[in-house]
Amino acid sequence: MNKTVYKILTWAVLPIVIVVLCVLIVNSVLTPINFNKEKAQREAVAIQRLKDIRTLQAAFKSEAGHYASTFDSLKTFYTSGNITVEMQIGSKDDSVAVENTKALKKKQPKITPAEMLELSKAGEKLVFSIKSTIPVRDTLFNSRSNFNIDSVFVIPFCGEPIGMQTVIKEVSGVPVPLFEATIPYKSLLRGMDNQLRINLDADRLDTDRYPGLMVGSVTAPNNNAGNWE
């Protein structure tokens, strides 16, 4: 190969090599940035679903005394169940109402909240609380017009069911109901850069953290906290 041909090939190939190297460098920088950006977007949707499950489980436990063991139970509770709410009638800062209530209970020790409600409606100033039951679906998530109970239990961007466990664990000699719901990154981040996802899982496992999103715990009471909080 003479010098002229060598120079021609060098000047023809060199720009291509430079462009390829630039593309590789840009991709090496942008790939993790784009990965983290999409990861955050997917996590936001997933976290909302775990929060909704936590809300449903807390309401279920307030009525049943334990957590629901299946999503079908939670769905039935939401669609056709009732929840007990306690309303206060009158104000404890109203001294007249407080004194009237004391005098009434002294005079009629067995008076019921329903009877006190009738007296209150008639105009008597009293302070008391009364319990009533209302449909769950009229209480939970009723401000969200796009709420869909069926989507709550599904991992977004994947379609697999969210994992859930419930147990009764003895803590200091007392039986304590516990639950946890989990969304592994392997499912949530499906279709994204697999090596970066593997690295993410490994990093979390190395630091003794769940490789994904989780709310609650069946290992120990944690006040139903999410691992993103």
Side-chain angles (χ1 to χ4, degrees):
M1 183 182 296
N2 59 46
K3 291 183 178 181
T4 302
V5 174
Y6 177 78
K7 287 181 179 179
I8 292 173
L9 289 176
T10 299
W11 286 107
V13 172
L14 186 60
I16 297 174
V17 172
I18 292 173
V19 170
V20 170
L21 288 174
C22 288
V23 170
L24 292 173
I25 292 171
V26 170
N27 282 342
S28 68
V29 173
L30 290 182
T31 296
I33 292 176
N34 292 333
F35 177 87
N36 288 330
K37 183 178 179 180
E38 186 171 353
K39 169 177 168 287
Q41 292 172 343
R42 294 192 181 195
E43 282 182 328
V45 179
I47 285 170
Q48 185 59 61
R49 295 190 182 182
L50 291 179
K51 286 181 176 180
D52 290 344
I53 290 172
R54 176 169 61 187
T55 297
L56 285 165
Q57 283 285 28
F60 186 96
K61 180 175 176 287
S62 71
E63 297 300 311
H66 59 84
Y67 292 115
S69 59
T70 67
F71 287 137
D72 284 342
S73 298
L74 281 180
K75 181 179 178 179
T76 299
F77 174 67
Y78 173 76
T79 56
S80 58
N82 293 311
I83 190 170
T84 302
V85 296
E86 187 170 349
M87 299 180 294
Q88 180 175 299
I89 309 298
S91 172
K92 292 182 179 180
D93 295 329
D94 187 334
S95 58
V96 174
V98 171
E99 291 303 317
N100 286 348
T101 302
K102 288 180 180 179
L104 178 62
K105 288 185 175 181
K106 186 175 181 180
K107 184 179 179 181
Q108 301 180 54
K110 295 183 179 181
I111 190 169
T112 66
E115 291 171 329
M116 294 178 72
L117 180 61
E118 292 303 315
L119 291 173
S120 179
K121 289 179 179 179
E124 188 164 347
K125 299 183 73 174
L126 299 169
V127 178
F128 61 98
S129 60
I130 187 168
K131 292 182 178 181
S132 62
T133 58
I134 56 177
V136 175
R137 66 186 312 150
D138 291 343
T139 308
L140 302 182
F141 318 120
N142 60 351
S143 63
R144 288 160 56 185
S145 58
N146 62 344
F147 179 78
N148 182 346
I149 187 63
D150 291 312
S151 67
V152 171
F153 313 125
V154 177
I155 298 174
F157 311 100
C158 167
E160 294 177 359
I162 292 173
M164 188 173 74
Q165 297 182 65
T166 60
V167 299
I168 304 292
K169 190 177 184 68
E170 194 168 289
V171 180
S172 299
V174 179
V176 178
L178 300 173
F179 95 94
E180 70 178 31
T182 54
I183 297 179
Y185 280 138
K186 186 176 182 180
S187 298
L188 179 63
L189 306 183
R190 182 170 297 168
M192 295 173 58
D193 190 292
N194 194 51
Q195 187 57 55
L196 289 178
R197 196 273 306 164
I198 290 173
N199 295 344
L200 176 64
D201 283 356
D203 177 65
R204 296 182 74 89
L205 290 170
D206 286 344
T207 53
D208 198 28
R209 293 179 294 166
Y210 175 71
L213 298 171
M214 179 172 71
V215 64
S217 172
V218 295
T219 304
N222 70 348
N223 201 30
N224 294 338
N227 66 347
W228 64 87
E229 296 174 317

